[in-house]
Amino acid sequence: MNTVPVIENRFWQHDAECMPRPQLESLQLQRLREAVARASALPFYQKKFKESGFSPDSIKTLDDIRRLPFTLKADFRDNYPLGFVAVPRSEVSRFQGTSGTTGKPTWTAYTRGDVDRWADLCARFLVSGGLRPEHTVQISFGFGLFTGGFGLHNGIQRVGAAIIPISSGNSARQIMTMQDLRPEVLICTPSYALKLMDDILSGNIDRASIALEHAHFGGEPWTESMRERIESGLGIRCWNNYGMAECGGPGIAGECAYRNGMHIQEDHYIFEVIDPDTLEPVKPGEKGEIVVTPLTREAMPVLRYRTRDIGIVYDDGECPCGRTTRRMSRIMGRTDDMLIIRGVNVFPSQIESALMQCKAVSPHYMIEVSRPKALDEITVHIEMEPSFFSDSMREMQQIRENIDRAIYGATGLHMVINLVSPNTLERFEGKSKRVKDLRNLKF
C-alpha cells in the first residue's frame, strides 16, 4: 500500500479563516442581529418571541443568544413544507432537503447568495483537506435532495478541480472509474468507503492502478479508529467535515492539515454546547449537545437549532495552522441514537471504538438490542478478518473474551458477542444502519 500522504497547509479565504478574534466576534454580533431580524418575519418565531417577551432589537452581546428560542427538527415538520422560508418565492434559487425516509422530507431553501456562500464554505474545508485545482474528484454521494452531493459539487467547482459526479452505488463501476480516470480525491460516506475498500482489497486490484490520495467523508458519525482502518487499507488521508440540511448542508465545519478538530466557520455560524437534559451550557471543553445558529442564511433563517449531535467545542486558542476559529470534535453520538441499557447510557460509537481496537475483527458490525426476558440485552454481530477466522472453538472463544473486555471497558456493560464469517453482514452505499432495536418491534 502507498504511504498516507501529508499535505501543505493552505487556505481558501485566508482573511475570513484567520480573522482576529475581536474582529470575528464583532462580526458575529452584527450578523446575529441581522439573522434575528430575518427570522422575526416568520410566524413561527413571531409566536416564540411573543411568548417569551423577547424583542429582536434587544441583542446587545453574543451572550444574548441564550435568550432566543430553540428550534427543533419537529418544528420543521410542524411547519411543513415552507414555513421557515423568509423570502419571496421569486428569490429562491434552489430547494434541497432530507431523504424523507421516516416521512416527508425536511425542505431547505437557498437564495442565489446562499448558494454562493455555501460553495465557498465547502471550498474552505476541501482546500484545507488537500484539494487543489489540478485534482480530479470522484463524488460518490447521492445526487438529489441530499445536500451532500450538490453542496460538495459546488465547492469543488469553486476551487476549479475536475468533477466526476458518479453518485453512490455500483461499486464495480466506482472502482473501474478510479482506475480509468484516476481521481486523486474521493467523497462519500465512511460506510461506503469501507465497502469500496473491501472490494478493492478482496478483488486483488493493483493499488498502483488507483491514484487516490485524499478522501472527504460526511453524512454520518465515524470514529478515529475507523479512519485509521481506511487510511491503512487504501493508503490515503481521510478528512472529517460537519453539516446538516436544516442549517444549510456541509461546510459548517471541517478539518485543517493538522486534523486536531474541525474548524467551525464562525463568521457564518455560532455554536453552543448544552446539557440536553437541563438545556444549560456545559463547561468549556465538556461534551454536550451541539446547538447551531446560522448567521448569513437569507432564504431560511434558523435560530439555535438543536442538532441532537453530541460533541465538544474546543476553546483552547489559535490552531497551529493559523486559523483563529474554534474547533469541534468529531460527533460522538446522537441524543436520539443513545441506547439506555439497564440504566446505562450507551452510544453506538463507543462500541465501534472498542471493536476497532481488536485486530481480529473487520470494520463491519451490527448492534442488536432485545429484551429476551426481563432485562435488555445487546448482541453485537461482528465480521471476522479472514486471517483470524478459525474452526478452533478455543481460539474463537478467546477472541470473544478480548472483544467483551474492550466493550466493557468502553461502556461498563457486558454484551453478547456473535462472531460471523467474512462477507456476511450488510454493506451500505449511503448512511449506515448499524443498530436494530428489536424492543420496539410490534408483532
Side-chain angles (χ1 to χ4, degrees), residues 332-357:
M332 302 171 177
R334 289 180 54 84
T335 58
D336 47 6
D337 284 347
M338 184 179 72
L339 302 169
I340 303 177
I341 307 297
R342 299 192 292 278
V344 178
N345 297 342
V346 179
F347 290 99
S349 58
Q350 292 176 289
I351 298 174
E352 179 179 296
S353 293
L355 294 178
M356 294 303 99
Q357 298 174 22

Side-chain angles (χ1 to χ4, degrees), residues 136 138 164 176-184:
T136 297
Q138 184 162 322
I164 308 172
M176 179 186 70
T177 302
M178 290 179 190
Q179 293 177 299
D180 293 348
L181 299 186
R182 297 183 63 78
E184 295 90 352

Side-chain angles (χ1 to χ4, degrees), residues 41-78:
L42 300 174
F44 172 79
Y45 287 117
Q46 289 172 358
K47 181 180 178 183
K48 291 285 187 180
F49 292 167
K50 185 176 181 180
E51 289 173 349
S52 64
F54 173 81
S55 173
D57 61 4
S58 64
I59 298 289
K60 304 300 183 185
T61 70
L62 288 176
D63 288 339
D64 288 332
I65 195 171
R66 298 175 191 168
R67 302 177 59 194
L68 297 172
F70 290 111
T71 307
L72 308 177
K73 177 82 168 182
D75 294 327
F76 287 92
R77 299 193 189 103
D78 293 343

Side-chain angles (χ1 to χ4, degrees), residues 238-259:
C238 303
W239 308 88
N240 200 7
N241 66 86
Y242 181 67
M244 76 287 297
E246 294 82 1
C247 292
I252 294 176
E255 290 181 310
C256 69
Y258 289 86
R259 300 199 307 182

Side-chain angles (χ1 to χ4, degrees), residues 63-277:
D63 288 339
D64 288 332
I65 195 171
R66 298 175 191 168
R67 302 177 59 194
L68 297 172
F70 290 111
T71 307
L72 308 177
K73 177 82 168 182
D75 294 327
F76 287 92
R77 299 193 189 103
D78 293 343
N79 290 273
Y80 181 89
L82 302 175
F84 277 82
V85 175
V87 298
R89 186 68 172 259
S90 60
E91 294 183 22
V92 174
S93 174
R94 182 186 299 182
F95 290 104
Q96 291 197 237
T98 62
S99 60
T101 53
T102 58
K104 291 187 175 183
T106 298
W107 293 109
T108 184
Y110 303 80
T111 65
R112 181 68 259 170
D114 289 333
V115 173
D116 287 342
R117 282 184 290 273
W118 186 20
D120 279 324
L121 291 177
C122 288
R124 286 185 190 182
F125 77 76
L126 290 166
V127 168
S128 68
L131 181 65
R132 304 293 178 255
E134 62 269 22
H135 285 161
T136 297
V137 185
Q138 184 162 322
I139 305 180
S140 299
F141 272 146
F143 279 81
L145 293 184
F146 175 54
T147 57
F150 281 109
L152 274 294
H153 182 110
N154 292 346
I156 297 162
Q157 197 168 46
R158 187 61 57 91
V159 174
I163 301 170
I164 308 172
I166 195 169
S167 193
S168 60
N170 195 337
S171 298
R173 184 182 65 170
Q174 300 272 354
I175 295 170
M176 179 186 70
T177 302
M178 290 179 190
Q179 293 177 299
D180 293 348
L181 299 186
R182 297 183 63 78
E184 295 90 352
V185 183
L186 172 67
I187 290 176
C188 61
T189 63
S191 297
Y192 194 44
L194 282 175
K195 175 171 173 50
L196 292 173
M197 182 181 75
D198 281 354
D199 291 346
I200 290 170
L201 298 180
S202 64
N204 295 317
I205 294 170
D206 181 8
R207 180 60 178 83
S209 69
I210 295 175
L212 286 182
E213 298 176 3
H214 310 290
H216 293 270
F217 298 148
E220 63 187 14
W222 55 303
T223 62
E224 188 64 26
S225 299
M226 188 71 75
R227 167 151 56 190
E228 293 170 1
R229 285 288 184 103
I230 297 172
E231 288 190 337
S232 63
L234 290 177
I236 62 177
R237 185 165 286 265
C238 303
W239 308 88
N240 200 7
N241 66 86
Y242 181 67
M244 76 287 297
E246 294 82 1
C247 292
I252 294 176
E255 290 181 310
C256 69
Y258 289 86
R259 300 199 307 182
N260 57 353
M262 291 179 281
H263 285 272
I264 303 165
Q265 312 294 5
E266 288 192 283
D267 52 334
H268 293 274
Y269 295 93
I270 291 178
F271 268 47
E272 302 170 75
V273 186
I274 65 169
D275 182 312
D277 296 321

